[in-house]
Amino acid sequence: MALNTPSVINLKEPKSPRKATDDIIGSISYPQIKPTLSPRAAKGPALAADLLEQHNSLATRDYFLEESRGAKWAEKLHPLSGPHDDGSSSKVPVFVMLPLDTVTQGGKLHKPRAMNASLMALKSAGVEGVMVDAWWGLVEKDGPLRYNWEGYAELVEMAKRHGLKIQMVMSFHQCGGNVGDSCSIPLPPWVLEEISKDPDLVYTDRSGRRNPEYISLGCDSMPVLRGRTPIQVYSDFMRSFRDRFSDDLGDVIVEVQVGMGPCGELRYPSYPEGNGAWRFPGIGEFQCYDKYMRASLRAAAEEAGNPDWGIDGPQDSGEYNQFPEDTGFFRREGTWNTEYGQFFLEWYSSILLQHGENILEAAEGIFRGTGAKLSGKVAGIHWHYKTRSHAAELTAGYYNTRNRDGYLPIAQMFAKHGVVLNFTCMEMRDGEQPENAGCSPEGLVQQVKMATQAAGTELAGENALERYDPAAYGQVLATSTSASGSGLSAFTYLRLNKRLFEDENWRHMVEFVRNMSEGGKNRELAESDTQRSDLYIGFVKEKNIEKTKEILLV
């Protein structure tokens, strides 16, 4: 494989725009550590006094040489601690999401040397593994049933060498247009060609805007993709993945997360930020106006004995950026709580639930016996949660109101197929949100914890936004416990980038991983650590640049 021209990060140079994976890692410094331990460090997982005493020895600093245009080495990090093998059920393994463009448009691993250095650093911190998107738009790019897994195979081998596990996401949506999307990976070209012939294959809002992020669930059972149904296409993709990685499933690839909608989440694209239609904290819009969804609504209305209800969606549900009280449908005593409103919301949410069941049922059969866990993702839509109607959740397909638990049916469906429910916004606190938006991420997370406990399915978590501060980590630690509702079976941190490795950010991350391995016992992260009581790995500051060896970005 031809390598890109190497470039060395120079922290004295002015910043310039970079691609997503350019920000994986720059240089890693090893501050001089005195062979003394604070009482807290002595209690932590085995950081080993011997390790500190031998800090400058070859035993703890293993160098390897790689020639590349005059720069001849990178530095191998010594693990902070050994594997967590105490069998404690309170341990919460931490995974880290890799950049969205980890695999290139050409199907190759992007910047493999930088990735190798990053994986070494993560292993050093005690991280369990990494999560990566297997994009439909990359793997099946060249035509129906023509799969290219080579970039992912290279990543799996690299993770295996470092002793890291992988959560692989079957990403059947496009990348681009959502919060945090830093690159563009559309659906496969041959799929886009079919969409151009029949625009109703994608979700459509009331004004006729088409959203090309994901195939409409209205055509799940229609052979609209060159003779195959979308469910068949997703199943063939997963089957190809299983066959290609049969030797690694259950060992290196410990989890397969099955995408079921925009951002990989089981929901409708009701708040599309990318096209400028929506901005936080708008209520969003129903996405039921393609011809396949309309046909389903008409059939449901006729079955209910009210064919007029199937003529169209709600007339008074407002627009993307309105608030609940601005609309007839979502206001305090609005249409949502009438017989018609209940019919529509039951239909809208139930076909989303059926869509998830169709995909998870297929996945369950495909991955049965491989040893890999299955998971699915549910969005943390916390704005307007304190209102009666929970408008933003309703437009996304979660029939959750003051009078109805919309997450229990989802958790029960996941439990039926042995699927872990992965939920976002674990790092958020109510007090951090704008008062006028009726937000309650803490209340929402608690409701989902109770729903998964009642349904008997595992709960895993993610942070919704990039955060590096002790308050966010502390909130995740508090949420991870099972004092009320399900505790977390795993946590995936969003996302690997250059900022994660900066001095204080990296120290907070290392301490967070350690605390999660101890069952969240130490929920408060220290604001400073002048004694460097933990083995500390951080980005070099300018004054230490001459002491630091730099890792090439190739």
Side-chain angles (χ1 to χ4, degrees):
M1 179 180 68
L3 295 178
N4 297 325
T5 304
S7 62
V8 179
I9 287 185
N10 184 339
L11 297 183
K12 293 183 179 179
E13 294 177 355
K15 294 182 180 179
S16 59
R18 297 181 181 272
K19 295 180 181 179
T21 321
D22 288 347
D23 288 339
I24 291 181
I25 188 169
S27 46
I28 296 176
S29 69
Y30 291 77
Q32 296 298 314
I33 301 177
K34 298 178 181 179
T36 58
L37 286 172
S38 70
R40 186 184 65 181
K43 296 177 183 177
L47 297 177
D50 290 342
L51 184 76
L52 299 177
E53 291 169 1
Q54 300 169 19
H55 178 68
N56 293 315
S57 72
L58 290 178
T60 59
R61 302 184 69 181
D62 180 19
Y63 299 99
F64 62 92
L65 300 178
E66 288 187 15
E67 292 197 14
S68 178
R69 297 190 56 150
K72 302 198 174 194
W73 61 269
E75 188 168 11
K76 184 175 181 180
L77 307 180
H78 191 89
L80 286 170
S81 61
H84 303 287
D85 54 4
D86 61 359
S88 171
S89 60
S90 62
K91 168 195 169 183
V92 182
V94 175
F95 292 76
V96 175
M97 293 186 201
L98 296 184
L100 296 167
D101 61 350
T102 291
V103 172
T104 69
Q105 291 285 347
K108 303 294 185 181
L109 185 62
H110 195 189
K111 299 186 180 297
R113 292 188 184 181
M115 180 60 69
N116 188 63
S118 298
L119 295 186
M120 284 194 292
L122 293 178
K123 180 63 177 178
S124 300
V127 165
E128 184 81 4
V130 295
M131 173 181 278
V132 64
D133 290 277
W135 295 106
W136 183 26
L138 295 182
V139 175
E140 203 175 353
K141 179 180 180 179
D142 295 334
L145 301 171
R146 296 175 61 188
Y147 305 104
N148 178 6
W149 295 105
E150 295 316 301
Y152 296 99
E154 188 176 353
L155 177 67
V156 169
E157 289 303 310
M158 190 178 288
K160 189 187 302 185
R161 289 196 300 271
H162 293 296
L164 291 169
K165 307 301 184 184
I166 291 181
Q167 299 169 316
M168 194 74 76
V169 185
M170 304 287 99
S171 293
F172 300 118
H173 61 288
Q174 79 167 17
C175 176
N178 287 292
V179 176
D181 284 358
S182 55
C183 64
S184 177
I185 304 173
L187 301 185
W190 60 273
V191 175
L192 295 178
E193 185 179 333
E194 297 305 311
I195 293 171
S196 69
K197 297 175 186 175
D198 182 4
D200 285 290
L201 292 181
V202 297
Y203 289 117
T204 307
D205 66 17
R206 185 175 186 80
S207 63
R209 288 188 189 92
R210 308 286 189 180
N211 189 320
E213 185 176 355
Y214 188 78
I215 299 295
S216 169
L217 65 79
C219 54
D220 271 356
S221 60
M222 309 287 186
V224 293
L225 297 178
R226 299 196 180 179
R228 292 184 294 165
T229 70
I231 299 297
Q232 288 172 334
V233 170
Y234 305 149
S235 298
D236 289 339
F237 183 96
M238 291 188 286
R239 197 172 292 111
S240 171
F241 170 76
R242 179 202 63 191
D243 295 344
R244 176 63 179 81
F245 294 99
S246 57
D247 293 339
D248 299 304
L249 281 165
D251 180 18
V252 181
I253 303 171
V254 294
E255 180 179 321
V256 177
Q257 186 172 114
V258 184
M260 293 177 281
C263 288
E265 297 164 337
L266 180 63
R267 66 171 175 87
Y268 295 103
S270 56
Y271 49 100
E273 187 178 46
N275 62 11
W278 175 87
R279 62 182 181 274
F280 178 83
I283 58 177
E285 291 190 20
F286 293 116
Q287 305 290 309
C288 57
Y289 295 93
D290 63 78
K291 66 183 181 184
Y292 302 101
M293 293 286 282
R294 286 176 179 268
S296 174
L297 177 58
R298 283 196 299 271
E302 290 173 4
E303 185 177 346
N306 289 285
D308 289 347
W309 289 353
I311 295 175
D312 207 352
Q315 303 294 309
D316 56 352
S317 56
E319 298 179 351
Y320 284 109
N321 295 310
Q322 290 186 292
F323 275 48
E325 291 305 312
D326 298 333
T327 74
F329 193 89
F330 297 115
R331 66 189 181 194
R332 183 180 178 89
E333 299 297 339
T335 310
W336 65 273
N337 206 25
T338 65
E339 186 180 1
Y340 162 72
Q342 292 167 4
F343 157 77
F344 175 80
L345 293 171
E346 182 64 39
W347 165 78
Y348 190 68
S349 62
S350 66
I351 60 172
L352 178 66
L353 198 64
Q354 186 61 53
H355 170 70
E357 176 138 33
N358 291 341
I359 298 177
L360 293 182
E361 184 175 33
E364 182 185 16
I366 291 165
F367 293 105
R368 183 180 293 117
T370 63
K373 279 187 176 183
L374 288 180
S375 68
K377 192 173 176 181
V378 175
I381 303 175
H382 58 84
W383 53 104
H384 305 300
Y385 183 84
K386 293 180 179 179
T387 65
R388 286 177 176 265
S389 65
H390 293 233
E393 292 162 86
L394 296 185
T395 58
Y398 305 149
Y399 191 0
N400 189 57
T401 69
R402 183 70 58 86
N403 310 320
R404 188 181 191 276
D405 186 346
Y407 297 100
L408 182 58
I410 297 173
Q412 289 170 333
M413 187 269 286
F414 276 49
K416 177 181 175 181
H417 298 288
V419 175
V420 179
L421 194 155
N422 188 294
F423 198 70
T424 61
C425 76
M426 292 289 175
E427 84 285 12
M428 293 184 174
R429 298 183 180 183
D430 290 3
E432 299 169 339
Q433 311 306 318
E435 291 184 8
N436 68 333
C439 299
S440 183
E442 293 180 72
L444 175 59
V445 167
Q446 183 59 35
Q447 182 181 354
V448 172
K449 289 180 70 174
M450 298 301 292
T452 52
Q453 183 182 57
T457 192
E458 289 184 31
L459 175 66
E462 295 179 3
N463 51 310
L465 302 175
E466 289 183 11
R467 294 279 295 272
Y468 308 94
D469 56 291
Y473 286 129
Q475 182 64 18
V476 175
L477 286 165
T479 302
S480 69
T481 62
S482 57
S484 179
S486 294
L488 298 184
S489 61
F491 179 79
T492 303
Y493 176 81
L494 180 153
R495 171 180 316 271
L496 180 69
N497 57 32
K498 180 179 174 180
R499 286 193 65 193
L500 178 62
F501 292 97
E502 293 174 359
D503 284 347
E504 290 302 296
N505 293 348
W506 184 242
R507 184 182 64 80
H508 291 154
M509 178 66 174
V510 171
E511 190 167 0
F512 168 70
V513 172
R514 185 193 68 186
N515 288 339
M516 292 289 272
S517 76
E518 296 174 347
K521 295 175 185 175
N522 189 5
R523 296 182 187 176
E524 294 299 325
L525 300 185
E527 293 292 342
S528 62
D529 188 2
T530 55
Q531 291 186 320
R532 297 291 191 253
S533 57
D534 297 307
L535 181 56
Y536 178 89
I537 302 171
F539 255 100
V540 65
K541 296 179 180 179
E542 289 188 14
K543 65 181 180 180
N544 294 325
I545 196 165
E546 70 279 3
K547 299 179 181 179
T548 305
K549 295 180 170 66
E550 295 164 316
I551 292 178
L552 291 176
L553 298 182
V554 295

